[in-house]
Amino acid sequence: MNTARQGRPFFFNPGPTNIPERVLKAMASPSMDFFAPEFMDIHRYCHAGLMRVLKTEQRLFIYPSTGHGAWEASIVNVFSPGDLVLVMESGFFSERWATMAEHLGVRAETLPADWDQGVTAEALQARLEADTGHEIKGVLAVHNETATGMTHPVAGYRKAMDAAKHPALLMSDTISSLGSIDFRMDEWGVDVAVGGSQKGLMLPTGLGFTGVSEKALAASKQATLPRKYLDWRTLEGREPQDFPGTVPVHMFFGLNESLHMLEEEGLEQVFARHTRFGEATRRAVKAWGGAGEGPRLFCQVPDRLSNSVTAVLMPEGHDAEALRKAATRYNLSLGGGLTRLAGKVFRIGHLGDLNEPMLLGALSTIELAMRTAGIPHASGGAEAAIAYLADM
Ligand code: PLP
């Protein structure tokens, strides 16, 4: 076995993702005064560009933070102590968002679902119809659950809320979908969209942001949870926005470049590329599954299969960490299973700066790693992906 480290590392984690050369070069620039007109041009372009990616013409607030910071902003700005939110169970990330809400003094009720199925719009509608006193103030839904490789029907959830004539705010985490899978904040009636820089936007971790509807902005004027660093009322101070401290100018140099890349390719083409890569990956996994002896797709709902990340369920009695370890020896990094899925699944991140040779290299290397680690599987996964891609 080759355990050397020649050649390029293959990075297929579902975040952070590969950072394109163009972005890396743009970030390797001297510092700039963030009030200088040259920087203000970059700042304004980034602000407007990110709103185009979110498909919103309402409001946007950007924070120097991880995605957790944007989650926190989504809670502290619109709720008051003791408010009730309804969290659509999707996996590790819906649990984390709910836990955070509770830590901040909000009550979080989970609408339960199996992680390989997700909550239906009908279940949401039924729960909201039962809430005749409109105690629920927010519905929290992770658009793309990175832990399970499932994309949830946010537009369908909005329809369910409207059908139930329920006034709660719709909040959607778009951290592992934005810039990879279509997300339409205004059309889908999302009141708070939560995003981060390190996935489809192809940047390092370090910027969190929230798209904010006029309705959510109005709610923020009444909300009484303590807040300072992430307070929209402060951030509204300057155009395009104020910052809670020094502006992270290098993150904006990178964002400026990645938004140009997305706009040059065209957002719809970016989504089409991710759809192709998602399907090619799934074809490979299905081929590895063989007659049932090999790994299989974790997500069990065909029209919810994610085009940015695939969670692969290991055959009974085999440890996903052994496979990940074997892959690492070949310089291929894959995502692991989180909490209750630890050891049971591995995750292939196929989002961001990616082309066919990279994807096929990763799929072939997963097959190689399965052989070395003695994981039962049928061969032919990479061939299945090639056959599909060649026809597209
Ligand atoms: N939400 C989703 C769907 C995620 O995938 C992640 C991170 O992977 C987060 C939230 C948290 O983001 P961060 O790790 O940047 O705080």
Side-chain angles (χ1 to χ4, degrees):
M1 179 191 298
N2 178 12
T3 54
R5 291 271 167 176
Q6 303 95 338
R8 281 180 178 269
F10 267 55
F11 194 73
F12 277 75
N13 287 48
T17 61
N18 292 293
I19 304 174
E21 293 268 330
R22 270 178 67 174
V23 170
L24 290 171
K25 283 190 182 140
M27 293 185 78
S29 303
S31 289
M32 201 185 267
D33 177 352
F34 52 85
F35 289 119
E38 305 93 286
F39 183 76
M40 287 311 295
D41 286 346
I42 292 173
H43 193 179
R44 277 194 210 96
Y45 170 77
C46 288
H47 205 89
L50 207 44
M51 289 178 70
R52 283 193 290 276
V53 180
L54 281 163
K55 298 193 175 166
T56 182
E57 293 183 352
Q58 300 185 75
R59 303 300 293 252
L60 169 73
F61 296 107
I62 305 178
Y63 325 95
S65 79
T66 63
H68 276 72
W71 264 349
E72 183 154 337
S74 75
I75 304 290
V76 293
N77 278 290
V78 296
F79 298 124
S80 299
D83 276 356
L84 178 67
V85 296
L86 183 65
V87 182
M88 316 288 280
E89 182 168 10
S90 57
F92 174 76
F93 289 103
S94 68
E95 279 187 348
R96 285 292 277 250
W97 201 5
T99 306
M100 174 179 268
E102 281 173 339
H103 275 259
L104 293 167
V106 166
R107 288 177 298 136
E109 175 187 323
T110 295
L111 197 53
D114 291 335
W115 286 13
D116 58 2
Q117 302 284 338
V119 175
T120 62
E122 291 73 24
L124 172 60
Q125 186 173 334
R127 177 63 190 93
L128 293 178
E129 279 169 354
D131 181 36
T132 48
H134 294 167
E135 200 191 347
I136 296 167
K137 300 295 178 222
V139 170
L140 276 54
V142 176
H143 181 217
N144 189 74
E145 174 55 71
T146 324
T148 62
M150 190 184 297
T151 308
H152 297 265
V154 174
Y157 292 158
R158 163 49 71 195
K159 280 200 192 109
M161 293 173 72
D162 291 347
K165 297 192 174 48
H166 200 289
L169 295 170
L170 174 58
M171 336 247 295
S172 179
D173 171 326
T174 177
I175 288 183
S176 62
S177 53
L178 198 73
S180 314
I181 298 170
D182 197 12
F183 180 83
R184 305 179 185 191
M185 177 172 153
D186 289 358
E187 191 184 315
W188 296 351
V190 174
D191 293 299
V192 183
V194 173
S197 53
Q198 74 272 23
K199 299 194 198 267
L201 294 174
M202 308 174 286
L203 295 167
T205 314
L207 290 182
F209 50 89
T210 44
V212 175
S213 72
E214 299 303 337
K215 183 175 165 186
L217 199 65
S220 76
K221 314 284 184 211
Q222 312 299 325
T224 60
L225 277 178
R227 61 199 130 139
K228 180 73 188 91
Y229 184 72
L230 301 164
D231 191 343
W232 295 344
R233 293 168 301 190
T234 317
L235 303 180
E236 270 190 303
R238 213 170 33 224
E239 182 275 325
Q241 78 158 72
D242 217 332
F243 261 84
T246 305
V247 179
V249 289
H250 286 81
M251 289 301 292
F252 278 93
F253 295 157
L255 180 58
N256 182 42
E257 199 61 32
S258 74
L259 288 170
H260 275 103
M261 288 178 70
L262 291 175
E263 295 197 337
E264 283 163 26
E265 185 177 354
L267 257 193
E268 302 313 312
Q269 277 71 34
V270 171
F271 301 149
R273 178 166 54 84
H274 282 82
T275 303
R276 273 201 320 280
F277 291 174
E279 182 57 26
T281 305
R282 294 190 285 273
R283 299 268 175 130
V285 176
K286 283 181 195 155
W288 292 330
E293 73 278 19
R296 64 175 175 85
L297 296 171
F298 177 76
C299 169
Q300 291 302 298
V301 186
D303 64 358
R304 292 186 174 196
L305 289 158
S306 167
N307 287 325
S308 63
V309 54
T310 296
V312 184
L313 189 64
M314 295 296 284
E316 200 56 42
H318 290 272
D319 184 3
E321 292 311 296
L323 171 72
R324 291 213 308 140
K325 205 166 154 208
T328 308
R329 278 187 251 147
Y330 297 117
N331 224 347
L332 169 67
S333 179
L334 298 165
L338 300 170
T339 56
R340 71 169 83 148
L341 297 182
K344 296 193 168 71
V345 307
F346 69 93
R347 294 175 301 145
I348 309 169
H350 34 80
L351 72 165
D353 187 38
L354 207 64
N355 60 21
E356 283 81 356
M358 292 160 83
L359 182 67
L360 292 171
L363 295 175
S364 306
T365 309
I366 292 172
E367 212 160 310
L368 170 64
M370 284 196 288
R371 272 195 198 208
T372 10
I375 313 286
H377 67 285
S379 57
E383 282 91 314
I386 290 169
Y388 166 76
L389 289 169
D391 277 349
M392 290 309 290

